[in-house]
Amino acid sequence: MMRAAAGYITGWLIRHSAITEEDRSLYEYAICSLILTISPLIIVITGGCIMALVKESILFILPFMVIRKYSGGLHLKHAWACLLSSCIVLCLCIYVTARIPCNGIVSLLMLAAVISLGICSPVDSENRQLDPQEKKKYKKITIWIAMAFFAIYVLLLLLRLDYYAKWIAAGLILPAVSQIPVALKRISGKYRERN
């Protein structure tokens, strides 16, 4: 479906002489990447509208999207599976976050997420392996972004805006959680290599 949409848009651009046929694959890839980049925002805003939590959903998705771009995490092989699971996970996170209080447990999870993101990031995608320079750069960026959102979280707590702080926390915890399956897979792979 996504590739068909990218193909249609690219074909339209070619028919209107905006791009050449030789650039088709490049533009199809770029359009697919754009769709995958903005789909979490669309999913969350839609879910937020349904649950009457639009501004909260935006507070949640912003840290998630920014961190996830550099930290990486679990990637599914098929775009449709990724989109479906993203819809479920993101909407579930909105639902759960709306119902939990912002307390010491959330703060501990937030701190653990910042530490985990600093240690485990970046997680390579099977589709695109990072070279050592990129890994070093992405790790630094992830650490700075995670610390910035942690500072925003603490500031919101100090201002007694706990309700909004928990949405920032959820947006930072989710990318850390998405790295767990990949980390477990790496550990089990290393264990099998030794035995």
Side-chain angles (χ1 to χ4, degrees):
M1 184 168 115
M2 183 173 48
R3 286 199 176 138
Y8 176 79
I9 293 167
T10 305
W12 183 85
L13 290 169
I14 291 168
R15 283 190 303 279
H16 288 84
S17 303
I19 63 171
T20 63
E21 182 65 42
E22 293 82 37
D23 293 332
R24 176 183 282 278
S25 63
L26 176 67
Y27 278 86
E28 284 180 355
Y29 176 79
I31 292 166
C32 285
S33 293
L34 178 65
I35 291 169
L36 287 174
T37 300
I38 64 170
S39 62
L41 186 61
I42 294 167
I43 292 166
V44 163
I45 289 174
T46 303
C49 286
I50 292 168
M51 294 182 242
L53 297 166
V54 175
K55 66 183 174 199
E56 293 88 341
S57 299
I58 293 170
L59 276 175
F60 159 69
I61 201 62
L62 287 178
F64 173 80
M65 286 178 65
V66 173
I67 286 281
R68 176 71 184 212
K69 177 172 176 47
Y70 296 101
S71 68
L74 180 64
H75 288 276
L76 301 177
K77 292 184 186 207
H78 303 288
W80 65 267
C82 180
L83 194 58
L84 179 63
S85 63
S86 293
C87 284
I88 293 167
V89 169
L90 292 172
C91 289
L92 186 63
C93 282
I94 294 168
Y95 180 82
V96 169
T97 305
R99 281 147 185 78
I100 61 169
C102 187
N103 55 26
I105 294 170
V106 172
S107 294
L108 285 174
L109 288 172
M110 177 72 159
L111 183 59
V114 170
I115 292 168
S116 175
L117 286 165
I119 293 169
C120 299
S121 296
V123 173
D124 281 333
S125 165
E126 289 181 11
N127 298 336
R128 184 179 181 289
Q129 298 291 312
L130 299 173
D131 65 43
Q133 291 280 355
E134 288 175 310
K135 284 185 180 184
K136 190 175 180 180
K137 178 183 172 185
Y138 281 26
K139 181 180 268 308
K140 277 185 185 177
I141 293 170
T142 300
I143 290 169
W144 280 107
I145 293 170
M147 288 178 13
F149 279 112
F150 186 75
I152 292 168
Y153 172 77
V154 171
L155 180 63
L156 288 171
L157 290 179
L158 291 173
L159 294 172
R160 301 196 185 281
L161 297 170
D162 299 16
Y163 178 77
Y164 298 107
K166 73 178 179 177
W167 292 97
I168 297 290
L172 201 66
I173 293 167
L174 185 58
V177 169
S178 78
Q179 290 182 335
I180 293 172
V182 180
L184 292 175
K185 186 177 177 182
R186 282 184 187 167
I187 291 167
S188 69
K190 287 178 183 178
Y191 177 76
R192 278 189 229 137
E193 286 175 9
R194 283 189 226 152
N195 293 327

